[in-house]
Amino acid sequence: MVLRLTYPLLFCILLLMNGRCDAEKDHNMEHHHHIENAAVGLFTFDEICGFYVGKKLPIFFPIKDHSLYPPFLPKQIADTIPFSLSQASTILKLFSVPPDSSKGKAVQNTLKKCEIEAAQGQEETKLICATSLESIHGFLRKAFGPDVDFEYIATSHPTITTPILQNYTVLEPPREIQSAKKVPCHPRPYLYAIYSCHIDANYRTKAFKLPLVGDSGDKVEALVVCHMDTSALSSNHPAFHLLGIKKGDSFCHVFHQGDIVWIQPSTSSSISTN
């Protein structure tokens, strides 16, 4: 059986599940926590290493709302448009978007997040909210070096047309993607394409491809990213609570549609599932 859910509704259900589990027995808590963590694609590194052919995982793969993720503007145009929270009203007027609309609120939230990320950016973990393809390319050139080739990897699920929570069966053990440097990038909802990219120097990031097939027959080539050292993250990061781990411990999450990781051309190898 499959459940047709929107991502916000799913998240609310998971929060309710988490509250309800507090009153149940320990083994039921572990069972529900495992289900809710898997549903949002959140795992410990040990769990990833334990994935075997035939294992079933309840996962929700959201479908990107393309109205909130339009294409890039040419750099010469993007550079002429303000990009700061203090100028949000001017930006929204320029695109005829009401500030209290869902799109208007999404735009303001993206501007806020980009400014917070820029303020928190450190030398070892550089961040950028790229407003054009040229901006991303320049950032990647600095990350990988001027004479180094790079490519991107992402989650692929071409047959999924409706977001559903269903069981997915592991078709092959996770295959680690070998690349000395990695640059994850995430699309932000905005009036034109915005990608938040960061250089993961401190997290000792690992990336895996995980082939899956759903109960509905949908095939997914999932990209799983593992942060092996999370000591630089806030101790209030939701992953620590959901997985029952502490700051500094490793955790992994499935990248959704649109999320990508730039890597150096590489090979892949299966990890041990012993």
Side-chain angles (χ1 to χ4, degrees):
M1 182 181 74
V2 295
L3 299 176
R4 301 185 183 279
L5 301 169
T6 63
Y7 189 71
L9 178 58
L10 173 69
F11 186 69
C12 290
I13 291 173
L14 296 184
L15 289 178
L16 289 172
M17 285 173 59
N18 188 54
R20 184 188 68 214
C21 287
D22 289 340
E24 297 180 348
K25 294 181 180 180
D26 288 345
H27 70 277
N28 284 335
M29 286 179 63
E30 293 175 2
H31 174 71
H32 286 297
H33 284 175
H34 171 74
I35 291 176
E36 67 177 81
N37 295 340
V40 294
L42 192 62
F43 307 96
T44 65
F45 181 66
D46 287 343
E47 286 177 321
I48 294 293
C49 291
F51 286 172
Y52 55 85
V53 175
K55 182 176 178 61
K56 290 188 177 294
L57 303 168
I59 303 179
F60 176 76
F61 286 100
I63 302 297
K64 187 168 72 171
D65 182 352
H66 291 282
S67 69
L68 291 175
Y69 299 91
F72 279 109
L73 290 177
K75 179 175 169 49
Q76 60 268 31
I77 296 177
D79 286 350
T80 65
I81 302 173
F83 190 77
S84 68
L85 186 59
S86 63
Q87 294 177 289
S89 59
T90 301
I91 298 168
L92 293 172
K93 276 185 182 179
L94 181 63
F95 288 87
S96 301
V97 176
D100 292 330
S101 66
S102 58
K103 180 176 285 190
K105 291 177 181 178
V107 166
Q108 294 173 76
N109 189 48
T110 289
L111 290 169
K112 182 179 180 180
K113 284 185 176 181
C114 284
E115 291 190 358
I116 290 174
E117 289 175 357
Q120 292 176 341
Q122 299 175 357
E123 185 63 28
E124 64 271 15
T125 310
K126 295 180 180 178
L127 300 154
I128 185 176
C129 275
T131 58
S132 66
L133 281 172
E134 291 86 349
S135 296
I136 290 182
H137 187 267
F139 185 75
L140 294 173
R141 276 281 168 241
K142 290 180 181 178
F144 291 108
D147 302 316
V148 178
D149 292 332
F150 46 81
E151 60 188 18
Y152 75 86
I153 51 177
T155 289
S156 172
H157 46 75
T159 63
I160 297 180
T161 57
T162 303
I164 54 177
L165 171 62
Q166 63 176 316
N167 280 325
Y168 286 86
T169 301
V170 175
L171 296 178
E172 298 175 23
R175 302 190 308 270
E176 182 173 4
I177 306 300
Q178 305 291 341
S179 177
K181 292 181 179 179
K182 303 178 187 70
V183 179
C185 291
H186 310 279
R188 300 294 192 198
Y190 202 65
L191 303 162
Y192 48 92
I194 299 291
Y195 270 81
S196 172
C197 303
H198 54 100
I199 303 171
D200 269 330
N202 267 1
Y203 291 174
R204 292 176 25 234
T205 303
K206 292 180 179 288
F208 299 90
K209 277 301 187 79
L210 181 65
L212 304 166
V213 62
D215 285 348
S216 64
D218 290 318
K219 288 191 175 181
V220 178
E221 183 83 1
L223 172 61
V224 181
V225 173
C226 297
H227 301 293
M228 305 307 294
D229 178 7
T230 59
S231 57
L233 297 181
S234 166
S235 57
N236 295 322
H237 194 286
F240 300 146
H241 168 71
L242 286 170
L243 292 172
I245 60 177
K246 62 182 184 300
K247 179 177 178 176
D249 291 343
S250 61
F251 71 84
C252 309
H253 57 106
V254 175
F255 266 35
H256 293 149
Q257 186 183 34
D259 295 324
I260 60 178
V261 176
W262 292 92
I263 60 171
Q264 297 167 235
S266 65
T267 58
S268 62
S269 60
S270 296
I271 60 174
S272 172
T273 57
N274 292 334

